[in-house]
Amino acid sequence: MLNIEIDGKSIEVEHGSTIIDAADKVGIAIPRFCYHPKLSVAANCRMCLVQVEKFNKPLPACATPVADGMKIFTRSKSAIEAQQSVMEFLLINHPLDCPICDQGGECDLQDVAVAYGVSGSRYTEEKRVVFNKNIGPLVSTDMTRCIQCTRCVRFLKEVGGMQELGMIGRGEHAEITAYVDKSVNSELSGNIIDLCPVGALTSKPFRYSARSWELTRRPSIAAHDSLGSHIEVHVKDNKVMRVLPREKESINECWLSDRDRFSYEGLNSPDRLKVPMIKHNGAWVETDWKTALEFAAGQLKDITNEHGGEALGVLVSPNSTMEEGFLAKKLANGLACGNVDYRLRQTDFRLDGKRLGTPWMGCNIHEIEELDRIIVIGSNLRNEHPLLAQRFRRAVANGAELSVVSPLDNDPLMDIAHKVIVRPNDMVNVLGQILKAMSGLQRLSLCLPPSLTALLDDIKVRPNTQAIAESLAGHGKDYDLIAPKVGIFLGNMALSDPRFTEMYSMAEAIGGITGAKGGILPAAANSTGMHMMGVMPSSTGMHARAMLEIPRKAYLLLNIEPELDCQHAALAKAAMEKAECVVALTTYKSQALDNADILLPITPFTETSGTFMSMEGRVQSFAAAVRPLGESRPAWKVLRVLANTLGLAGFDFESSEQVKDAIFAGEKPSAVVWRSLNNNLRELVEIQVNIKHDGLQRIGEVPQYESDPIVRRSPPLQKTKYNIKPMARMCSRQLAALDLVEGDHVLVKQDKGSAVLTVRLDDHVAMGCVRVAAAHEATIGLGELMGDITVEKLSPQQLLDINKNITEARA
Amino acid sequence: MLSPEATTKIDYELTKYPADQRQAAVMSALRIVQTERGWLSKESITEVAQYLGMPEIAAMEVATFYNMYDLSPVGKYKVTICTNISCMLRGSDEIVSHLQNKLGVGFNEVTSDGKFCLKEGECMGCCGGAPLMHVNNTEMHEFLTTDKVDAIIEGLK
């Protein structure tokens, strides 16, 4: 520790810290623009100049390490002179357009100019002008305002993983730009808006819609992935104007993914359902709540009385709050119905009843950075968990070795030490190879259950899996570790795979040998919470897939769009069409109008109080940020009143807090969570390692901006380059094998459904696979996300015929 | 596509740096490609960036920072005359106007036959020999007089 003195205050600081760190620690303000604690030090704005004893000129506080006995003066004559001069220089070329600048009121330059600048400028010459760049639909630029702090450049390079912006030219001609006419495509790009200390980078969707002092700030929790990012919802006139991150070091630090930042644009979509609606003789009529609820209750009651509780199927969105999930399950059970499930995109349910607890990510979010060896199985990290991927990136930058087993070879923008890109069906075998290779390693003399040992006999270990095994065991490319901290994670593609159970069991065995932390990376905001509350079928009930395969007479849908949110779109559509009665609790109407019979308008997460449980088991409650739109009501209230109307007992909740208390039985949530989270299995499931699969397999990835109903309706997110019409993407070898070229039209078929798609060359896809994005209108005729698929080339004539048929059918 | 000669030269430059830091050779690589093609188009910068495995914009930053990289076509011979204080005191203005009259172009312009381009240069660090000029960044001429400049230009034709 070093003893230093700042402005007469003596403090003790650690070796290697800088003056600005020390000053921040004791709360002495030093103005700064380019310095940011999460980014590398550039020291190019010079705003943080301070006087240091024995130095004859001012030093930048952000780039000067402290030395023992240093005496620092931040408000001495020399320091103030330096600050005023720097301020004067910075303002030379800065336009005086604060009245029309979106940053006005929350601008670092304004604040610092008032606090540290002088009242006038001596500069009378012409100011420079820099042309604006179009860097995409999310970030708007006014480059004349830029003060060249390069925070945005450093963020995209260091946190985003890809330098998409740079400073070209120098001196007076320096300007920030993307390469030629490229846009910034990072899935974390919105953070450069927060980082920009001036109004050069502002939010495009929010532009000119409100001033920062008119906004009320309400804390909330992000609702689109399971990270549980803390957000701040900015509200004006009962309307959500924008969403910003709320600092939470252990979860989202000070960042936010674009999905969580810009999804709010979907909240006020014209597609919002504002009043209850009932289908009457095939026509939709708007009605009041009482009629709608009584009608829904009557229908549900009639069907369950006549055909028994199992005639009903309850499908719950994993993005719904814990309160909503709990009430949906309670309501189903009240109707003697065990068919409840939230695992809409899962295919393989063989683990049901074999788990010892709720599966979770197996460690704390910030611990990822401390791992030495990581293996990620079946996950396109940047697509599924945009912000979590950044933690992995940091781990790799810290020296961790990352191994990937996946059907997709998309660049995670970090160094991959080893990878195996195979068709999903072969992933079990690959994991078996890794396990076998490990069992052959000296240090891991292991006792596997006899069943597994026998299984591994048939497996032939290949060099790349041997390398992964050695990496996980501690042998490294650069240096060896005796006891590496290992992390093992399964992503969305593994979760929706028909052989998820086997992958999971293998991963568990590998984890057991290496002493790894880890588990699954659940897809949705409340997947973990839903599992913990048991929003799953009873022992006799049907799981999400069975409910669609064997159509039910009635369905209760909570916050889902069956064709887009279920793993088997065609099956979901057919089941909804066949059902006598579909009661949809929904925020939006377009999809529901086609599928349902009764629409009950519920509110999105900004208009209700509730609780999400994140992937690390953190239970986070939030309050409503705005009042419900129109006649819509929070889903927990709707479920409660529906249960009352049905005459079910035990639904006397007055507030969502009471529901929460019921969920945790009055205990402290963390205590319940502590008992529940467990990734271990009671018993191993029959694993087969040598299943041959010759046909093509679909990789039905859910694109990140199609993941849930709100995101799908956010225009700025839909304008990004990630919104591409689904295509049949295959690697060049596969195209050659099928005699196809890019641009061909093909008919892809799954089960009975089909879709006409364009062929696209995508060498990130494993051989034997066709990547066809899910959750899109173009592919709702298709089946399982990771199921079998066939591809047929269409001649121009056939294509014409099909298009003609479609046009006729529409007419 | 980079020519095989260019890649050979860049590969040689790469041997001077650690294998995992290919970006370190960006200045040499840009120079090699510029020598071969006369100037650096956006496509050329992209090719260099891709060859070195670095972001395109990072190569662009380097190419725009140093003024010896030409981002627009220059003639076969780029004549750069220093106009900084030492050269100015030794009569560079006279040399400049003489050259402009002789070639019929101003600064940053190319003669109609595509042979010569005049550039205004900053201090070349050799003030003892003022006034100075560079030809194609590599050839320096000292103690210039109008006669000497004529001779140099004739020699280039």
Side-chain angles (χ1 to χ4, degrees):
Chain A
M1 298 297 264
L2 304 171
N3 291 303
I4 59 162
E5 200 184 293
I6 306 182
D7 291 351
K9 272 191 203 172
S10 309
I11 52 162
E12 221 179 41
V13 291
E14 272 175 45
H15 263 278
S17 46
T18 56
I19 295 176
I20 213 164
D21 290 335
D24 284 352
K25 203 172 146 193
V26 286
I28 291 172
I30 296 180
R32 82 281 308 262
F33 294 113
C34 72
Y35 175 77
H36 192 278
K38 295 277 173 197
L39 303 175
S40 63
V41 172
N44 56 7
C45 75
R46 315 310 283 184
M47 194 62 226
C48 64
L49 292 176
V50 292
Q51 189 196 349
V52 179
E53 194 186 56
K54 291 177 193 152
F55 283 84
N56 60 2
K57 57 179 186 175
L59 297 178
C62 68
T64 311
V66 291
D68 203 22
M70 211 180 223
K71 278 192 180 151
I72 298 145
F73 307 94
T74 68
R75 301 301 291 156
S76 68
K77 187 167 168 281
S78 136
I80 289 177
E81 263 175 20
Q83 286 160 354
Q84 287 180 343
S85 318
V86 171
M87 199 64 236
E88 193 174 1
F89 271 117
L90 284 172
L91 291 177
I92 278 182
N93 275 316
H94 193 81
L96 268 176
D97 61 351
C98 301
I100 57 141
C101 175
D102 254 7
Q103 194 84 355
E106 50 182 5
C107 175
D108 288 357
L109 191 67
Q110 273 186 334
D111 297 346
V112 174
V114 170
Y116 299 91
V118 287
S119 51
S121 168
R122 289 174 288 174
Y123 184 80
T124 50
E125 291 78 0
E126 221 169 287
K127 294 188 178 220
R128 76 168 190 157
V129 170
V130 183
F131 288 112
N132 294 338
K133 323 287 187 285
N134 183 4
I135 58 168
L138 303 178
V139 183
S140 155
T141 65
D142 278 282
M143 296 321 287
T144 304
R145 295 177 189 148
C146 175
I147 57 166
Q148 279 84 40
C149 72
T150 69
R151 275 184 183 183
C152 52
V153 177
R154 284 174 286 145
F155 172 83
L156 289 169
K157 187 174 170 187
E158 294 160 18
V159 183
M162 173 77 186
Q163 190 188 341
E164 292 182 292
L165 288 175
M167 186 160 75
I168 62 162
R170 64 176 147 141
E172 206 197 8
H173 305 287
E175 54 181 279
I176 300 287
T177 177
Y179 190 64
V180 196
D181 292 320
K182 290 202 170 169
S183 54
V184 173
N185 295 320
S186 168
E187 64 284 351
L188 304 175
S189 67
N191 292 300
I192 63 177
I193 300 167
D194 297 344
L195 284 173
C196 186
V198 296
L201 303 173
T202 50
S203 165
K204 213 174 239 182
F206 173 70
R207 206 160 198 225
Y208 301 143
S209 59
R211 302 301 271 168
S212 76
W213 56 85
E214 303 169 324
L215 299 166
T216 315
R217 291 152 164 80
R218 304 229 159 90
S220 188
I221 302 295
H224 306 289
D225 64 28
S226 52
L227 193 67
S229 301
H230 285 208
I231 56 172
E232 195 170 72
V233 181
H234 288 205
V235 176
K236 181 188 167 190
D237 299 336
N238 200 43
K239 189 178 164 210
V240 176
M241 302 306 290
R242 64 172 174 182
V243 167
L244 293 185
R246 194 152 48 95
E247 204 167 315
K248 182 73 184 170
E249 189 56 32
S250 55
I251 300 177
N252 55 316
E253 301 167 75
C254 52
W255 315 128
L256 196 61
S257 64
D258 286 355
R259 178 165 59 180
D260 288 326
R261 185 186 295 266
F262 295 108
S263 68
Y264 75 89
E265 286 280 314
L267 294 172
N268 297 313
S269 150
D271 195 27
R272 273 291 292 272
L273 177 67
K274 291 181 191 151
V275 280
M277 290 172 91
I278 296 178
K279 200 186 225 167
H280 190 67
N281 294 335
W284 283 102
V285 273
E286 296 188 350
T287 177
D288 59 290
W289 269 107
K290 195 162 180 296
T291 321
L293 283 167
E294 275 169 6
F295 186 64
Q299 294 271 312
L300 291 177
K301 212 165 197 173
D302 287 350
I303 289 172
T304 49
N305 281 345
E306 196 177 328
H307 305 282
E310 60 274 20
L312 173 69
V314 181
L315 294 169
V316 180
S317 160
N319 278 315
S320 290
T321 63
M322 291 186 85
E323 289 80 355
E324 292 160 5
F326 175 79
L327 290 176
K329 186 194 173 208
K330 198 170 156 74
L331 187 145
N333 293 352
L335 291 169
C337 164
N339 309 334
V340 193
D341 211 343
Y342 77 92
R343 297 164 298 176
L344 307 175
R345 290 199 179 113
Q346 196 165 321
T347 323
D348 182 359
F349 295 90
R350 281 177 285 164
L351 283 180
D352 280 10
K354 292 183 178 137
R355 289 193 172 278
L356 286 172
T358 299
W360 62 304
M361 78 179 292
C363 62
N364 291 319
I365 288 162
H366 65 85
E367 280 179 287
I368 290 177
E369 284 175 32
E370 294 148 21
L371 296 171
D372 300 312
R373 301 286 186 263
I374 303 168
I375 177 166
V376 176
I377 302 162
S379 177
N380 182 357
L381 275 178
R382 284 172 59 208
N383 181 54
E384 296 163 15
H385 299 281
L387 194 52
L388 186 71
Q390 182 262 132
R391 297 267 188 182
F392 283 97
R393 193 168 295 133
R394 190 105 46 90
V396 172
N398 290 344
E401 279 187 11
L402 173 70
S403 304
V404 172
V405 178
S406 168
L408 290 183
D409 188 18
N410 276 37
D411 187 1
L413 299 182
M414 54 190 119
D415 290 336
I416 300 178
H418 309 285
K419 64 183 171 191
V420 182
I421 306 301
V422 289
R423 55 164 65 207
N425 182 61
D426 295 337
M427 280 166 63
V428 181
N429 186 288
V430 168
L431 296 176
Q433 289 181 35
I434 296 172
L435 191 61
K436 182 165 180 178
M438 280 184 163
S439 64
L441 294 173
Q442 199 65 50
R443 204 176 62 71
L444 302 171
S445 53
L446 76 161
C447 301
L448 285 174
S451 56
L452 258 182
T453 319
L455 196 71
L456 296 179
D457 276 348
D458 299 338
I459 295 181
K460 186 168 166 279
V461 178
R462 288 171 206 278
N464 49 1
T465 45
Q466 178 75 31
I468 294 182
E470 285 177 9
S471 164
L472 294 180
H475 298 288
K477 274 191 169 166
D478 299 326
Y479 53 90
D480 295 343
L481 291 166
I482 302 301
K485 286 187 226 114
V486 183
I488 179 162
F489 300 97
L490 291 127
N492 287 5
M493 280 185 281
L495 282 163
S496 11
D497 197 89
R499 300 183 69 192
F500 165 63
T501 299
E502 292 162 79
M503 286 181 204
Y504 187 90
S505 309
M506 282 290 188
E508 205 203 3
I510 296 172
I513 294 175
T514 51
K517 288 190 167 192
I520 59 165
L521 300 175
N526 199 25
S527 304
T528 326
M530 290 292 181
H531 196 288
M532 196 193 75
M533 294 185 301
V535 184
M536 286 180 296
S538 63
S539 54
T540 53
M542 291 174 159
H543 50 67
R545 183 190 162 87
M547 273 186 251
L548 301 176
E549 270 174 350
I550 314 163
R552 304 288 86 204
K553 292 250 182 291
Y555 288 96
L556 180 67
L557 307 178
L558 177 56
N559 193 17
I560 71 164
E561 300 181 302
E563 294 153 40
L564 301 175
D565 287 327
C566 290
Q567 58 89 24
H568 199 305
L571 215 54
K573 189 177 169 63
M576 296 306 135
E577 274 167 8
K578 218 166 180 185
E580 281 173 27
C581 173
V582 177
V583 181
L585 277 70
T586 177
T587 311
Y588 301 100
K589 57 188 174 208
S590 60
Q591 280 281 323
L593 287 174
D594 299 337
N595 293 317
D597 302 289
I598 303 166
L599 302 186
L600 305 176
I602 58 167
T603 57
F605 71 104
T606 45
E607 298 166 24
T608 177
S609 53
T611 307
F612 287 140
M613 186 163 147
S614 73
M615 54 165 76
E616 58 167 353
R618 209 181 275 252
V619 177
Q620 307 187 105
S621 294
F622 52 89
V626 290
R627 285 189 303 278
L629 183 76
E631 289 285 301
S632 62
R633 291 292 172 263
W636 72 267
K637 282 190 185 170
V638 176
L639 286 165
R640 185 219 127 138
V641 182
L642 182 61
N644 293 149
T645 320
L646 281 161
L648 302 177
F651 282 89
D652 305 321
F653 305 106
E654 296 282 324
S655 67
S656 69
E657 285 74 27
Q658 287 182 6
V659 185
K660 189 181 168 193
D661 284 345
I663 295 171
F664 294 103
E667 278 189 83
K668 227 171 84 180
S670 56
V672 179
V673 170
W674 190 83
R675 276 201 310 271
S676 316
L677 296 182
N678 191 335
N679 276 327
N680 294 333
L681 299 178
R682 219 181 287 277
E683 55 188 289
L684 276 181
V685 194
E686 68 298 1
I687 305 174
Q688 290 185 308
V689 287
N690 284 328
I691 300 181
K692 275 272 171 281
H693 189 293
D694 291 325
L696 287 171
Q697 201 169 354
R698 175 183 179 193
I699 302 171
E701 203 190 7
V702 180
Q704 77 170 304
Y705 299 144
E706 302 289 345
S707 62
D708 63 62
I710 302 176
V711 173
R712 287 196 275 269
R713 287 174 178 79
S714 167
L717 291 181
Q718 295 305 321
K719 276 185 222 146
T720 62
K721 78 155 196 136
Y722 292 98
N723 177 35
I724 1 176
K725 208 168 163 258
M727 287 184 269
R729 295 164 165 263
M730 285 169 271
C731 65
S732 43
R733 261 173 68 214
Q734 186 65 54
L735 286 180
L738 291 171
D739 196 21
L740 292 169
V741 290
E742 189 167 58
D744 276 351
H745 291 277
V746 287
L747 183 69
V748 297
K749 279 190 189 159
Q750 270 192 299
D751 299 333
K752 284 167 208 139
S754 64
V756 178
L757 299 173
T758 316
V759 171
R760 181 71 179 264
L761 172 68
D762 185 348
D763 275 321
H764 298 310
V765 184
M767 181 70 186
C769 300
V770 191
R771 182 180 188 177
V772 181
H776 193 282
E777 201 164 327
T779 53
I780 50 175
L782 295 176
E784 268 180 41
L785 299 181
M786 311 295 276
D788 296 343
I789 192 166
T790 57
V791 175
E792 271 172 50
K793 189 174 174 173
L794 291 175
S795 65
Q797 187 54 44
Q798 283 170 307
L799 185 68
L800 271 176
D801 291 345
I802 290 177
N803 283 339
K804 212 171 114 193
N805 285 344
I806 294 174
T807 332
E808 277 169 14
R810 283 214 183 114
Chain B
M1 277 290 289
L2 296 178
S3 70
E5 295 77 37
T7 49
T8 316
K9 284 182 190 159
I10 296 173
D11 287 342
Y12 174 72
E13 295 296 328
L14 282 167
T15 59
K16 300 174 183 172
Y17 308 103
D20 61 341
Q21 289 175 30
R22 293 171 64 85
Q23 181 165 355
V26 64
M27 288 188 66
S28 318
L30 288 171
R31 174 173 50 77
I32 290 164
V33 174
Q34 171 165 308
T35 313
E36 189 181 282
R37 300 183 181 175
W39 64 291
L40 289 172
S41 64
K42 277 160 190 161
E43 293 72 27
S44 304
I45 297 173
T46 305
E47 283 167 26
V48 168
Q50 282 168 351
Y51 189 72
L52 298 177
M54 63 192 285
E56 293 157 332
I57 183 72
M60 184 76 144
E61 285 181 329
V62 175
T64 53
F65 188 89
Y66 297 100
N67 59 7
M68 279 184 179
Y69 295 121
D70 296 307
L71 302 176
S72 55
V74 290
K76 189 174 174 194
Y77 300 105
K78 183 175 80 167
V79 180
T80 316
I81 305 133
C82 175
T83 54
N84 281 183
I85 182 82
S86 304
C87 289
M88 190 186 80
L89 292 174
R90 300 283 297 150
S92 66
D93 287 354
E94 200 188 328
I95 305 290
V96 169
S97 56
H98 177 72
L99 266 174
Q100 286 182 339
N101 284 334
K102 186 177 169 69
L103 299 172
V105 290
F107 281 131
N108 297 320
E109 289 172 4
V110 188
T111 53
S112 52
D113 59 358
K115 265 205 157 162
F116 292 97
C117 170
L118 274 189
K119 291 261 177 187
E120 189 172 19
E122 308 297 326
C123 182
M124 295 167 182
C126 204
C127 305
L132 295 159
M133 76 180 208
H134 264 161
V135 177
N136 283 348
N137 295 339
T138 48
E139 204 183 305
M140 183 184 276
H141 299 278
E142 299 180 312
F143 304 113
L144 296 178
T145 58
T146 46
D147 292 346
K148 202 169 173 185
V149 169
D150 284 344
I152 296 165
I153 298 292
E154 280 312 310
L156 293 175
K157 277 182 175 167

